[in-house]
Amino acid sequence: MMAGLEVSEKSPFLTVSRERSRDERSCCVICVGSTGSGKSSTISIVTGHQIPISDSAVSVTSHCQLYENLLDSGAAAWLDTVGWEDRKKDDSDTFREILSYIHQRKMAEVLAVIWCVTPQVRTDASLRRQAKFINRMKEGDIWNNVIIVVKQSVNPKYDARGALAAMADFAADSNIKVIGYRFVTDLAFSEIQREVIMSNSEVREVMNVLTESEIRDIISDRINSIPRPVKIIFSDSVCIDCGEEGDVRLMGEFCHMEAILIHTSTPSMCHPDRETRYHPTDRICKIHPEDVSVGRCGRSCGCGPCAKPRYSCCGRKETTEGCRQVLVCCRNVPSSSGCQKKYMCCGMVVDGSVKGCTSIHPCCGKEQSEEGCYTVCKRCGGVWGTRAQDCYRKEHNTKNLK
């Protein structure tokens, strides 16, 4: 026995209880294993479905299939998976298919994983791959819900050593349940042998030969001994690059390749800054802001003061210097607002004929030489953070939604 591992010792010939302490209909039991390891026959026995059984190295299960328990309406449904050696998909595709299948049927929890194996005392690459696959469902914790079923086994604890060694790296401290049996209908038995076995209970126990009813009872008993289902699907992540949400292991294989910044509008010539008023010169001159006039009597009266014209603004004589300082360009006082308009960005006069001094993107007001204002994928041009369709295969860049 592997160090740190303990196999349950309960004999399949002891009286077992099939009473359930919970409603299992929201959970499922996942059955995994190589082609010919007894997956389909085990599911048939427990659920009552007539499932085609392979008698060769070619699997009859090409896709996941869920089977409700026809013999116990409150029991968990069983999920039949693709056999290992005949799969055209890699492990990641198969794993995603299983999780997607469970998720679509709103079964986030797994009650048990039934790992069907054939008698094998040494581990190999296939068993190690299967153990790695099971561990991915929920690393470490899933092994408390794993039951190893050894097909055609006389001594299950010995015959399961290969599978136990394969999972030792993932669950050194788990109490792994191991059961095994030989079918009473095994074609390897002759009629005489079968008659002797069935007529002698001691021989049948020594040979570990069980009827379908006994197999169903012992598997149900082992499942009932599992404390609680394990949640294996989590909707707690989002990909920053493509926006996909949910369980990281269920996310599609495509994402966006690389983020770049672009402008969404064609640049055009314009003035990036506002208009301002100004005086084209600061030269000053003196003027009289009002006209000259004569006195109230007019020139006809002949009196001295009224006969000499004077400026109404200041009363000075007609030939005197102006009384007010003004700008030469507009004859307004120097403190007045400008008499012309120009653009602050370039100093050009506003006259309607100038198209602009700078090439500007209308989408954001940035100059043509500045970086873009909109983030898209370099490969497909899609908006960064939205679904990638079939853009680029890569690992998702996720963060926790919580």
Side-chain angles (χ1 to χ4, degrees), residues 29 73 83 119 168 227 235 242 245 254 280 326 328 332 338 349 359 365 383 390:
V29 174
S73 60
S235 300
C242 70
E245 295 184 9
F254 290 99
V326 296
V328 172
N332 290 323
V349 177
S359 183
V383 179
D390 297 336

Side-chain angles (χ1 to χ4, degrees), residues 135-388:
N135 191 62
R136 288 181 65 186
M137 294 185 189
K138 190 173 185 183
E139 295 187 6
D141 294 342
I142 192 64
W143 293 102
N144 293 317
N145 295 60
V146 173
I147 301 172
I148 299 176
V149 176
V150 189
K151 176 185 178 182
Q152 302 298 68
S153 173
V154 176
N155 186 348
K157 289 193 294 182
Y158 181 79
D159 293 335
R161 290 172 69 89
L164 291 170
M167 49 71 62
D169 291 338
F170 305 109
D173 298 325
S174 296
N175 181 23
I176 303 300
K177 300 172 179 61
V178 177
I179 60 176
Y181 41 77
R182 297 194 70 175
F183 293 105
V184 70
T185 55
D186 188 350
L187 296 177
F189 294 136
S190 67
E191 288 300 325
I192 296 176
Q193 289 173 326
R194 186 175 293 106
E195 186 176 330
V196 170
I197 291 171
M198 294 305 294
S199 63
N200 190 321
S201 60
E202 291 183 357
V203 172
R204 191 159 73 91
E205 183 168 359
V206 169
M207 296 297 293
N208 198 34
V209 178
L210 301 181
T211 64
E212 289 191 359
S213 177
E214 290 168 338
I215 293 171
R216 186 182 306 119
D217 286 346
I218 193 65
I219 290 177
S220 298
D221 183 72
R222 295 298 188 272
I223 292 176
N224 290 339
S225 69
I226 294 174
R228 65 188 63 84
V230 59
K231 185 176 181 180
I232 67 168
I233 296 178
F234 304 89
S235 300
D236 59 356
S237 298
V238 60
C239 178
I240 299 170
D241 299 351
C242 70
E244 187 169 355
E245 295 184 9
D247 192 306
V248 174
R249 301 164 300 172
L250 280 174
M251 291 183 179
E253 58 182 331
F254 290 99
C255 189
H256 287 303
M257 184 178 76
E258 179 183 345
I260 59 171
L261 287 168
I262 65 165
H263 293 286
T264 58
S265 62
T266 303
S268 60
M269 296 300 294
C270 64
H271 294 284
D273 214 338
R274 62 184 179 84
E275 299 174 359
T276 185
R277 302 190 72 87
Y278 79 107
H279 294 288
T281 180
D282 57 358
R283 290 176 56 200
I284 295 175
C285 64
K286 289 185 176 182
I287 63 168
H288 290 285
E290 297 182 14
D291 294 331
V292 294
S293 62
V294 295
R296 287 177 296 174
C297 300
R299 294 181 185 273
S300 59
C301 72
C303 66
C306 291
K308 297 179 180 179
R310 294 178 180 273
Y311 286 100
S312 301
C313 54
C314 60
R316 294 179 182 176
K317 295 180 180 180
E318 188 176 11
T319 57
T320 58
E321 183 182 36
C323 63
R324 182 178 298 177
Q325 287 188 334
V326 296
L327 293 165
V328 172
C329 56
C330 59
R331 305 304 172 121
N332 290 323
V333 295
S335 61
S336 65
S337 62
C339 57
Q340 293 185 22
K341 292 181 180 180
K342 67 177 180 180
Y343 294 103
M344 294 183 66
C345 50
C346 60
M348 289 179 154
V349 177
V350 179
D351 60 4
S353 62
V354 180
K355 294 183 178 180
C357 63
T358 308
S359 183
I360 296 293
H361 288 280
C363 54
C364 59
K366 290 184 178 180
E367 295 185 19
Q368 186 175 3
S369 59
E370 293 184 88
E371 68 176 4
C373 59
Y374 203 62
T375 308
V376 299
C377 175
K378 182 178 181 180
R379 180 182 176 87
C380 69
V383 179
W384 197 255
T386 63
R387 290 302 177 92

Side-chain angles (χ1 to χ4, degrees), residues 82 84 86-90 93:
V82 180
W84 234 256
D86 61 299
R87 290 180 293 104
K88 297 180 180 179
K89 304 174 184 177
D90 62 24
D93 290 336

Side-chain angles (χ1 to χ4, degrees), residues 31-89:
C31 199
V32 300
S34 300
T35 300
S37 62
K39 292 191 292 92
S40 297
S41 60
T42 301
I43 295 174
S44 294
I45 291 170
V46 176
T47 66
H49 286 272
Q50 296 301 314
I51 303 173
I53 297 173
S54 173
D55 57 359
S56 67
V58 179
S59 174
V60 295
T61 305
S62 58
H63 297 284
C64 292
Q65 181 65 50
L66 194 68
Y67 295 97
E68 300 294 335
N69 196 322
L70 301 179
L71 305 178
D72 186 349
S73 60
W78 281 57
L79 181 66
D80 194 5
T81 59
V82 180
W84 234 256
E85 278 68 34
D86 61 299
R87 290 180 293 104
K88 297 180 180 179
K89 304 174 184 177

